[in-house]
Amino acid sequence: MTIQSKLRPLPPKKLLALDGGGIRGVITLEVLIRLEALLRETKAAGNPEFRLCDYFDYIAGTSTGAVIATCLSLGMSATEVRDFYHSTCKQTFSPAGYLQRFRYKYEDDKFSALLREVLGAETTLGSEKLRTLLMMVMRNAVTDSPWPVSNNPYAKFNDRSLPACNLDIPLWQLVRASTAAPTYFPPERVRVGDQDFLFVDGGVTPYNNPAFQLFLMATLKPYRLQWPTGPDKLLLVSVGTGTTPHANAALRAEDMNMLYNASAVPTALMFAASVEQDLLCRVFGKCLVGPSLDSELGDLVGDEGLPGAKLFTYLRLNAELSRTGLDDLGLNNIQPENIQLMDSVEHVAELQEVGRALAERIQIGQFVTPF
């Protein structure tokens, strides 16, 4: 399959959206490994060369999701991406020097080198090596705006006649920019045409969960793809890295000082934005799978969303990394605090357990009929 074949608007079209979440992307990968194996047997007659890029037409990711999305789009298997994560996670989260730690926790040189090695130092966003449409999200700190960047050749800023064509940007730099979480990593400086911009993690935009934005970029007229909508024409699969609710019944007003707010407010906003993206997908799409959103809305599975015609079929695969959520997955041996942080590199094996338990709940029939 080539990207040209993916561009054709003939339905059905299949979209895959991957959340941010640091090393918790290991959860996502275990889900994708099982999904790839099931699709290989049902859609490719056991062909060992089958990859998720052969099934999905458009793959999007934010932060760690951008790393996974890019690797999948380049034709790597989900297992190969997981092996990459396992072999490099400690290099990725390499502690910064003592003086640098006043600005960020980890240095980026080793991670940047790994990205250049795996993705190719000369590979650009417009490379023919990419086998699907690809979108990743970052935040341009200079212009104070979210940047959902794609390799869609019809997109306004991908015009080859422009002096600042996005397709000419090195792919590894865009991935590095999408993962530049403030306080964790330094920003990434990217040259676009004759101007330099500083980019930080897309997780500090409304699109840490990029699912609904991906749907819009596949269907809205300004993005110039305009793929047909309908539950039998468009499938959107969204995979999370686990939610980490921090309910605190003992919280006092005097506890909510500047230090508390500095650590709690950004996380709370990211969580709320991710839930909102999920909610929009369940309202406008026909939701087949998804955990409960909250105690009032429930899961909106089936026809519980907005009345009227649905715009796509939607599946949300995610886990709650609380004591209750882990127990529900049968994982009472795992302590929530060990796996909730984005840099829990010492607990990768436990994150794998969570991903595998979640993956066991995949119903392959939801992916192959009518898709």
Side-chain angles (χ1 to χ4, degrees), residues 282-285 300-308 310:
R282 300 194 202 200
V283 167
F284 290 98
L300 297 182
V301 169
D303 296 321
E304 297 299 319
L306 196 68
K310 302 300 181 183

Side-chain angles (χ1 to χ4, degrees), residues 293-359:
L293 290 162
D294 61 38
S295 57
E296 182 174 14
L297 287 169
D299 58 22
L300 297 182
V301 169
D303 296 321
E304 297 299 319
L306 196 68
K310 302 300 181 183
L311 300 177
F312 51 91
T313 292
Y314 177 64
L315 297 92
R316 174 66 170 171
L317 306 171
N318 203 14
E320 184 180 303
L321 306 183
S322 64
R323 180 73 276 152
T324 300
L326 293 173
D327 288 347
D328 181 59
L329 289 171
L331 300 174
N332 52 15
N333 60 309
I334 296 179
Q335 298 304 311
E337 60 270 20
N338 289 343
I339 58 171
Q340 290 183 342
L341 298 177
M342 293 193 296
D343 55 353
S344 298
V345 294
E346 302 299 329
H347 300 282
V348 167
E350 292 157 275
L351 289 167
Q352 275 188 273
E353 285 190 65
V354 175
R356 288 169 182 165
L358 179 61

Side-chain angles (χ1 to χ4, degrees), residues 1 15 59 144 147 161 168 183 191 210 235 259 318 356 359:
M1 299 289 287
L15 317 178
I59 305 178
D144 191 24
W147 270 41
S161 66
D168 296 329
T183 74
R191 191 162 188 82
L235 171 68
L259 289 176
N318 203 14
R356 288 169 182 165

Side-chain angles (χ1 to χ4, degrees), residues 95-97 99-108 181-187:
L99 294 178
Q100 292 173 317
R101 291 180 201 178
F102 289 99
R103 297 174 55 211
Y104 43 83
K105 192 174 181 180
Y106 301 107
E107 61 95 10
D108 66 316
T183 74
Y184 284 88
F185 295 101

Side-chain angles (χ1 to χ4, degrees), residues 155-284:
K156 180 176 181 179
F157 297 107
N158 289 349
D159 186 338
R160 290 288 191 183
S161 66
L162 294 175
C165 176
N166 286 345
L167 295 178
D168 296 329
I169 302 173
L171 190 60
W172 74 266
Q173 271 202 300
L174 292 171
V175 175
R176 163 70 184 88
S178 185
T179 61
T183 74
Y184 284 88
F185 295 101
E188 179 70 13
R189 186 181 300 277
V190 179
R191 191 162 188 82
V192 184
D194 60 358
Q195 188 170 1
D196 286 341
F197 294 106
L198 288 174
F199 288 96
V200 295
D201 197 313
V204 292
T205 73
Y207 313 121
N208 189 56
N209 170 356
F212 197 69
Q213 178 65 21
L214 174 60
F215 162 70
L216 295 177
M217 291 179 72
T219 57
L220 286 185
K221 185 176 181 180
Y223 295 112
R224 303 174 182 176
L225 278 178
Q226 295 180 264
W227 285 350
T229 60
D232 60 339
K233 297 176 182 176
L234 202 61
L235 171 68
L236 174 55
V237 179
S238 174
V239 186
T241 58
T243 60
T244 56
H246 291 286
N248 184 358
L251 183 65
R252 303 172 303 167
E254 54 266 34
D255 295 331
M256 300 180 69
N257 52 37
M258 290 181 66
L259 289 176
Y260 171 88
N261 288 324
S263 62
V265 170
T267 302
L269 290 174
M270 287 173 63
F271 174 71
S274 180
V275 171
E276 183 69 8
Q277 287 276 308
D278 188 11
L279 172 60
L280 289 170
C281 288
R282 300 194 202 200
V283 167
F284 290 98

